[in-house]
Amino acid sequence: MEEKSIFEMILNKEIDSEIIYEDDEIFAIHDINPVAPIHVLIIPKKKIKTINDLTQDDAVLIGKLVLTAKNIAKSLRIDESGYRLLWNTNKDAMQTVFHIHLHLIGGTMLKEI
Ligand code: AMP
């Protein structure tokens, strides 16, 4: 059987982490190594390794991930000040966990990219 991702281990409570949002398809946690005062990961329960592995069937799920990020940004009161949403894919983007996750980053003025 394929190795579990760290996010599956968190979901299965094999690793301790505070789940700050959960529904039937998605959960969210604070990043363990934040790059800004707010750094949340929004993660589908379904393991999809990279954005390259998405199919048409995942279109609604991806939309839900973005809407969840928007709602979390509002609940953390950074919706008006601003935030960044990003997906890292593969080596050049330095993806380290091969179970897709949307980064929600904010709470400070971010550097230009
Ligand atoms: P990426 O580099 O896009 O694959 O992002 C993976 C993210 O997962 C990194 O920002 C890590 O800091 C974060 N991360 C790794 N392990 C954990 C963990 N146990 N709890 C929370 N975040 C984690």
Side-chain angles (χ1 to χ4, degrees):
M1 212 175 84
E2 203 180 310
E3 214 175 286
K4 273 186 235 165
S5 73
I6 200 146
F7 298 149
E8 288 171 293
M9 292 165 88
I10 288 171
L11 193 56
N12 295 340
K13 315 266 183 237
E14 293 161 40
I15 293 183
D16 218 25
S17 180
E18 186 195 353
I19 295 179
I20 62 166
Y21 172 83
E22 183 171 7
D23 64 27
D24 54 339
E25 291 184 295
I26 293 170
F27 66 106
I29 57 175
H30 291 291
D31 197 294
I32 203 168
N33 189 19
V35 298
I38 291 175
H39 188 168
V40 172
L41 304 173
I42 299 100
I43 309 163
K45 291 184 175 178
K46 173 183 174 186
K47 183 184 180 187
I48 300 167
K49 284 189 183 168
T50 79
I51 291 292
N52 290 335
D53 298 306
L54 290 174
T55 69
Q56 193 59 41
D57 289 347
D58 300 314
V60 172
L61 177 62
I62 292 300
K64 275 192 70 176
L65 286 160
V66 175
L67 288 169
T68 301
K70 178 201 81 163
N71 292 339
I72 293 173
K74 188 169 174 62
S75 71
L76 296 176
R77 301 176 190 278
I78 57 167
D79 52 325
E80 293 301 330
S81 53
Y83 55 90
R84 187 169 286 156
L85 297 180
L86 68 88
W87 311 89
N88 290 323
T89 302
N90 280 339
K91 177 171 57 68
D92 282 2
M94 297 172 69
Q95 182 177 359
T96 55
V97 178
F98 287 82
H99 177 151
I100 63 166
H101 47 283
L102 181 56
H103 293 257
L104 163 63
I105 298 166
T108 189
M109 178 68 79
L110 299 170
K111 289 203 181 79
E112 206 178 335
I113 54 165

